[in-house]
Amino acid sequence: MAKKYDIARIQKGALNADEAEALFSTVDETGHTDEERAARERRHRKEKGHAVDVDPLSSEDPSGSNVGKVIAKTAVAFVVVFLVGIVGMQVFFGLVRRANTSNLSENANVRTVASALGGGVEWGNGFTQFPEDYSVQEADENTGRIEVSVTDTSSKNALQCFAGSQVQATAFAVNSLLNPNINTVVYHVNVHMDSEGKIQQSKLFGFLKPTGDVKSIMTFIWTKTQSSAGVNFSCTITGIDETLQDELRDQITTSFTPVQILTGATN
């Protein structure tokens, strides 16, 4: 015998399946089964502009909303403005950089040399910057000599310091030696040393400066000479102590590196 909750309760006056199908087949988009009321509703919507023809296969929003289009246009506009802004900033900073960069080949004095160290110099198709801490000992076209000192706070070891300083000294010296009145460029490189003799570097993106003692680690001396064959630029590196020499030698040479034999001249 079936229990009470197993028997579906039939609501009084409810339509069966056939009656419900027959009823909904007479309902149009207005929701009315009465033809006269449906006709009045359609006229009312047409007059008030509320009539909507819905195409189920259309990508258009039947509610008439254009939020999707607005979002898409806003996103495209944002990307375009962002790219234009980046290009504009690059052009602006490029112009500012060139405006603040001194050309030592045209004029070399204490002011222009300090400006070059602070703003950088053009180097080939690129641009070379120098350490933030620098000083100018001499810059005189009458004596044909430029001498500067920089303090490297970005390198963590001797090899990095040597490699970076070599590029910086070369860019600075060549830019200076292109001046017909400059024949010698001396580029001193200093570093901060801790109590154990290790190179210290800046931290926290350069905001925290090293506090160790400042020590001269190497000096690049560039000279310009002329001969019948043309103009010669030569570089001599001095001031490197034996410990640093051994460290660099171990890092950049192997047993296959050729050994230069220096002999004195005899009569």
Side-chain angles (χ1 to χ4, degrees):
M1 181 176 178
K3 295 181 180 180
K4 290 184 178 181
Y5 55 79
D6 292 334
I7 301 174
R9 182 179 180 182
I10 300 176
Q11 186 177 0
K12 186 177 180 180
L15 300 176
N16 59 30
D18 294 335
E19 290 173 340
E21 183 177 356
L23 175 62
F24 283 102
S25 65
T26 62
V27 178
D28 63 1
E29 75 278 0
T30 65
H32 297 288
T33 59
D34 188 324
E35 289 292 335
E36 294 183 0
R37 293 183 62 185
R40 288 197 301 270
E41 182 67 22
R42 283 193 290 270
R43 286 196 301 270
H44 176 75
R45 293 184 179 184
K46 185 175 182 180
E47 291 174 359
K48 299 299 182 179
H50 294 162
V52 178
D53 295 328
V54 179
D55 182 0
L57 300 179
S58 174
S59 60
E60 299 293 333
D61 191 334
S63 66
S65 174
N66 60 348
V67 175
K69 293 182 178 179
V70 173
I71 293 176
K73 291 181 179 179
T74 303
V76 172
F78 175 78
V79 172
V80 171
V81 172
F82 181 73
L83 294 177
V84 171
I86 291 178
V87 174
M89 290 178 62
Q90 289 179 337
V91 173
F92 173 76
F93 286 117
L95 294 175
V96 171
R97 186 192 72 188
R98 290 182 178 274
N100 293 332
T101 300
S102 299
N103 188 358
L104 301 180
S105 64
E106 297 178 355
N107 187 14
N109 53 46
V110 174
R111 180 184 60 81
T112 58
V113 169
S115 177
L117 291 174
V121 296
E122 299 291 337
W123 174 235
N125 294 327
F127 178 77
T128 300
Q129 290 182 300
F130 304 94
E132 296 180 358
D133 299 331
Y134 62 85
S135 62
V136 181
Q137 282 76 50
E138 181 181 0
D140 192 348
E141 292 186 356
N142 294 321
T143 61
R145 178 183 171 88
I146 294 177
E147 183 174 359
V148 300
S149 297
V150 300
T151 302
D152 183 2
T153 59
S154 61
S155 301
K156 65 179 181 180
N157 54 47
L159 182 59
Q160 285 190 3
C161 181
F162 176 77
S165 299
Q166 172 74 358
V167 173
Q168 296 164 3
T170 302
F172 178 79
V174 171
N175 190 279
S176 302
L177 293 176
L178 291 178
N179 187 316
N181 298 316
I182 299 299
N183 301 315
T184 303
V185 175
V186 181
Y187 188 91
H188 300 286
V189 181
N190 303 324
V191 295
H192 288 270
M193 289 284 193
D194 61 15
S195 58
E196 298 179 356
K198 295 182 179 180
I199 296 177
Q200 293 181 329
Q201 59 181 150
S202 299
K203 299 180 180 178
L204 196 61
F205 305 101
F207 291 103
L208 295 180
K209 300 295 184 180
T211 58
D213 296 334
V214 177
K215 178 182 178 181
S216 177
I217 191 171
M218 64 187 68
T219 298
F220 297 85
I221 303 175
W222 280 81
T223 57
K224 177 177 64 179
T225 58
Q226 59 178 330
S227 63
S228 58
V231 180
N232 300 320
F233 287 7
S234 60
C235 176
T236 302
I237 304 175
T238 64
I240 304 178
D241 58 30
E242 294 183 0
T243 302
L244 183 58
Q245 288 183 26
D246 293 339
E247 183 179 349
L248 290 174
R249 185 181 298 110
D250 293 340
Q251 290 176 335
I252 64 178
T253 62
T254 67
S255 58
F256 299 101
T257 305
V259 177
Q260 182 181 11
I261 300 176
L262 302 178
T263 60
T266 58
N267 294 328

